[in-house]
Amino acid sequence: MLNLESNEKALYRIMSKCAICPKKCGSNRNKGHKGVCKAVDEIVIASICVHRGEEPPISAINGSGAVFFSNCTLSCIFCQNYPISQLGNGKKISVEDLVNIMLDFQLKEVHNINFVTPTHYSAQIVRAVLIARKNGLKLPIIYNCSGYEEIETLKLLEGIVDIYLPDIKYSNNETAYKYSGVKDYVEISRVALKEMNKQVGTLKVDDKGVARKGLIVRHLVLPGNIENTKKVLEFVVRELPKDTFVSLMSQYQPAYKSNSFKELSRSLSKEEYEVAVNYLRLLNFRNGWIQNLYNF
Ligand code: SF4
């Protein structure tokens, strides 16, 4: 039996010498000190919206209730949301505000609460979800993250998160360091994915095709990095169940500091994306989406 109140307390304790993400920078965020990710104790959000462009079972008919958090535990040089993720633009809100956002979304009859870039606010999110559930929240909770997740934090999210939506970015640490500034992405993300799968399993949908629970693995194909994509897909097919849902994304566009690397200073070519899609098929993935959200 999960004791979610004690999970909440544990997460807040972890924030006193912050080890919420794998960077474990040790900042005392409970005292308002800034971490490497620039997050403090207060929640900062950039926007909220009813998102209609997520994968079909997530946006489905009425849309997904998205909350975009400011700051990030990674520093990807190609981040399209860099004003939010790297510059920290946004406004401070309280846990109670987050509760109200969720309950308002439920009144709008969206299908889920979609926490985008939630990692550094895991403690506050757990507190808010527990209060919202006591006040009638029934919607599934989505953890829409980068895959660079601390295993101990993930374990404390069991019973809170219904749908994990990680974007697995890299299959080698050299590339991860070059583009996102971390040297241990591969090991960390692989352990994290297995834990996510252990907690929620393969994606389950209701009779209308709306996601209720499970794991969807995203991967953004980067230009000039097709081998990276192939190895990411190989990992998924080798280490996760055969019916795992994969969302292969092609929407890369140069942004932020991507011009620092020649290969990232252009969009993905049609040919590169076709190579990625063909590889996905070669590996016999059964479930998921390619961009434009065509089923394969
Ligand atoms: S979440 Fe932020 S403050 Fe906490 S360990 Fe990671 S980088 Fe540091």
Side-chain angles (χ1 to χ4, degrees), residues 14-15 17-29 33-40 72-74 119-121 148:
I14 291 170
M15 269 208 317
K17 196 175 171 198
C18 198
I20 288 282
C21 89
K23 286 191 171 167
K24 299 185 180 172
C25 71
S27 158
N28 188 344
R29 290 176 57 198
H33 299 169
K34 230 179 226 184
V36 165
C37 63
K38 303 191 191 80
V40 287
C72 185
T73 56
L74 289 180
T119 306
H120 40 300
Y121 297 118
Y148 190 64

Side-chain angles (χ1 to χ4, degrees), residues 23 72-80 86 169-183 185 219-226 228-229 252 255-266 272:
K23 286 191 171 167
C72 185
T73 56
L74 289 180
S75 46
C76 305
I77 54 154
F78 53 84
C79 183
Q80 298 198 330
Q86 306 305 311
K169 297 172 186 296
Y170 305 113
S171 55
N172 76 73
N173 285 328
E174 207 178 300
T175 310
Y177 186 53
K178 203 163 59 160
Y179 297 159
S180 296
V182 290
K183 292 180 173 167
Y185 183 90
H219 173 66
L220 175 67
V221 186
L222 296 172
N225 280 280
I226 200 68
N228 179 55
T229 291
Y252 176 86
Y256 193 37
K257 297 179 181 169
S258 52
N259 283 343
S260 328
F261 293 98
K262 191 164 172 273
E263 68 278 15
L264 293 187
S265 53
R266 62 170 173 88
E272 282 173 309

Side-chain angles (χ1 to χ4, degrees), residues 158-200:
E158 185 166 8
I160 294 290
V161 173
D162 300 286
I163 298 167
Y164 282 106
L165 195 50
D167 171 16
I168 296 307
K169 297 172 186 296
Y170 305 113
S171 55
N172 76 73
N173 285 328
E174 207 178 300
T175 310
Y177 186 53
K178 203 163 59 160
Y179 297 159
S180 296
V182 290
K183 292 180 173 167
D184 51 2
Y185 183 90
V186 177
E187 297 77 14
I188 295 277
S189 64
R190 291 181 175 187
V191 169
L193 241 74
K194 289 184 199 171
E195 173 64 23
M196 293 175 193
N197 182 67
K198 184 172 134 256
Q199 286 182 24
V200 297

Side-chain angles (χ1 to χ4, degrees), residues 43 95 98-99 102 123-133:
I43 306 167
V95 167
L98 188 56
V99 171
M102 287 188 266
Q124 296 90 330
I125 285 172
V126 169
R127 180 167 285 176
V129 168
L130 292 177
I131 298 170
R133 283 184 180 162

Side-chain angles (χ1 to χ4, degrees), residues 79-148:
C79 183
Q80 298 198 330
N81 289 333
Y82 74 92
I84 304 169
S85 66
Q86 306 305 311
L87 308 182
N89 292 350
K91 66 166 185 178
K92 288 177 184 170
I93 62 164
S94 64
V95 167
E96 291 69 31
D97 293 331
L98 188 56
V99 171
N100 289 331
I101 288 169
M102 287 188 266
L103 295 173
D104 284 350
F105 270 139
Q106 182 159 277
L107 286 176
K108 289 188 175 125
E109 300 188 348
V110 300
H111 298 296
N112 44 61
I113 304 296
N114 185 352
F115 290 133
V116 184
T117 322
T119 306
H120 40 300
Y121 297 118
S122 293
Q124 296 90 330
I125 285 172
V126 169
R127 180 167 285 176
V129 168
L130 292 177
I131 298 170
R133 283 184 180 162
K134 279 184 190 143
N135 285 281
L137 183 76
K138 298 271 188 274
L139 297 177
I141 300 295
I142 301 183
Y143 200 77
N144 184 340
C145 63
S146 70
Y148 190 64

